[in-house]
């Protein structure tokens, strides 16, 4: 609510697609929206409600626009402008659904997909799961859905005692009096000038694939691996 116009919470995917069957693609997105409650969410927080509420709508039509730009000569610039406009348009959190799809036809068999959504619906991991779901439906395969329902998770979340978690972490961190800073742990010689440096390490394709496979095996994101490596470094140095 504080940063609605900044675009910090707007996710966007722009990708070229060849040989797409437009109506089948639209139907696949509609089926995904029908199947997943969270995609039909809006949020209300003012008026007569005492606290913010998430509203799940029973039926919604997926926002899906098709533009024919086969005769345009300024396609690269126009696509960049269209994507920027979609991001800047943002979303009204009280007006579901909080995602949009624009399909631009560039040639007989080539399209550009611009998929824009609000981060409040899902994180990057969930977004990739959704795209996999849509592609399975597009190819006529029935996605394997989990046994739980979104409302089950919300009900579980509502039963959690926030004070218990706060008390636990306050006890864990009771002995800490200041932030754990790596700079304070490093010993500098008297003649060494103060300052900073930049170091770069480039991971090859094989090492990158190994890390991605490790992350998938442990059901975490690559970002979690980076955070863990940083924590281990802090722990060993401090």
């Amino acid at each position: 609510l504080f940063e609605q116009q900044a675009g910090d919470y707007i996710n966007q995917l722009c990708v070229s697609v060849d040989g797409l069957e437009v109506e089948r693609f639209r139907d696949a997105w509609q089926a995904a929206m029908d199947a997943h409650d969270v995609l039909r969410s809006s949020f209300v927080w003012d008026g007569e409600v005492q606290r913010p509420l998430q509203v799940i709508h029973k039926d919604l039509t997926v926002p899906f626009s098709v533009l024919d730009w086969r005769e345009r000569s300024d396609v690269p610039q126009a696509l960049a402008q269209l994507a920027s406009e979609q991001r800047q348009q943002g979303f009204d959190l009280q007006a579901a659904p909080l995602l949009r799809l624009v399909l631009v036809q560039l040639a007989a068999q080539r399209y550009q997909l611009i998929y824009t959504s609000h981060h409040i619906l899902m994180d990057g991991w969930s977004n990739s799961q959704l795209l996999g779901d849509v592609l399975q439906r597009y190819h006529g395969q029935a996605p394997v859905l989990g046994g739980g329902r979104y409302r089950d998770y919300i009900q579980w979340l509502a039963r959690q005692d926030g004070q218990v978690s706060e008390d636990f972490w306050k006890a864990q961190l009771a002995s800490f009096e200041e932030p754990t800073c790596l700079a304070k742990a490093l010993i500098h010689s008297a003649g060494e000038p103060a300052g900073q440096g930049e170091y770069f390490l480039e991971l090859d394709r094989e090492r990158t694939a190994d890390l991605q496979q490790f992350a998938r095996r442990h059901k975490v994101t690559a970002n979690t691996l980076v955070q863990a490596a940083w924590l281990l470094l802090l722990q060993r140095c401090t």
Side-chain angles (χ1 to χ4, degrees):
L1 295 180
F2 292 141
E3 299 290 344
Q4 288 193 73
Q5 303 306 319
D8 296 335
Y9 300 99
I10 304 299
N11 297 328
Q12 189 175 76
L13 170 70
C14 301
V15 61
S16 297
V17 186
D18 288 330
L20 189 69
E21 294 185 25
V22 174
E23 289 308 314
R24 190 155 62 129
F25 191 57
R26 188 202 305 263
D27 291 344
W29 274 98
Q30 184 64 55
M33 178 168 285
D34 294 342
H36 300 292
D37 292 348
V38 70
L39 300 182
R40 305 191 304 277
S41 295
S42 63
F43 299 84
V44 294
W45 60 87
D46 53 12
E48 297 180 358
V49 297
Q50 296 181 344
R51 60 189 178 93
L53 295 176
Q54 181 174 5
V55 179
I56 306 297
H57 300 254
K58 289 184 177 180
D59 299 296
L60 285 177
T61 301
V62 62
F64 194 101
S65 304
V66 181
L67 305 175
D68 189 344
W69 285 9
R70 284 176 288 182
E71 302 300 323
R72 292 191 68 149
S73 58
D74 61 339
V75 168
Q77 302 92 329
L79 284 175
Q81 178 66 26
L82 178 60
S84 176
E85 290 171 355
Q86 288 292 309
R87 290 193 304 272
Q88 293 176 11
Q89 179 179 338
F91 293 93
D92 177 0
L93 295 183
Q94 299 187 76
L98 302 177
L99 60 84
R100 288 190 302 272
L101 296 123
V102 179
L103 199 61
V104 183
Q105 185 171 7
L106 305 177
Q109 292 295 316
R110 165 152 289 207
Y111 295 85
Q112 182 82 4
L113 171 66
I114 302 175
Y115 162 48
T116 311
S117 62
H118 198 289
H119 189 58
I120 200 169
L121 290 184
M122 56 197 140
D123 58 10
W125 185 284
S126 301
N127 233 326
S128 66
Q129 295 288 100
L130 172 61
L131 292 172
D133 181 295
V134 170
L135 290 177
Q136 282 183 284
R137 296 178 188 277
Y138 178 78
H139 289 290
Q141 304 168 8
V144 178
L145 301 178
R149 300 174 303 171
Y150 189 61
R151 66 168 57 201
D152 298 333
Y153 169 69
I154 294 298
Q155 290 172 355
W156 173 86
L157 200 60
R159 293 196 301 269
Q160 304 312 301
D161 190 333
Q163 190 62 49
V164 171
S165 295
E166 182 178 337
D167 293 344
F168 171 83
W169 286 109
K170 281 186 174 179
Q172 292 291 315
L173 303 173
S175 62
F176 287 82
E177 298 177 349
E178 60 183 13
T180 303
C181 298
L182 186 62
K184 294 182 179 180
L186 303 178
I187 299 175
H188 298 277
S189 62
E192 184 179 355
Q196 66 182 40
E198 292 186 3
Y199 298 88
F200 298 91
L201 173 66
E202 188 168 319
L203 302 181
D204 59 25
R205 186 184 300 272
E206 183 178 359
R207 179 63 60 84
T208 301
D210 288 343
L211 288 171
Q212 291 173 337
Q213 186 178 10
F214 179 87
R216 285 194 296 269
R217 186 163 66 247
H218 292 277
K219 301 186 184 304
V220 297
T221 64
N223 178 60
T224 302
L225 293 186
V226 175
Q227 298 277 1
W230 175 247
L231 291 173
L232 285 171
L233 178 66
L234 280 179
Q235 185 269 328
R236 290 175 181 177
C237 293
T238 62

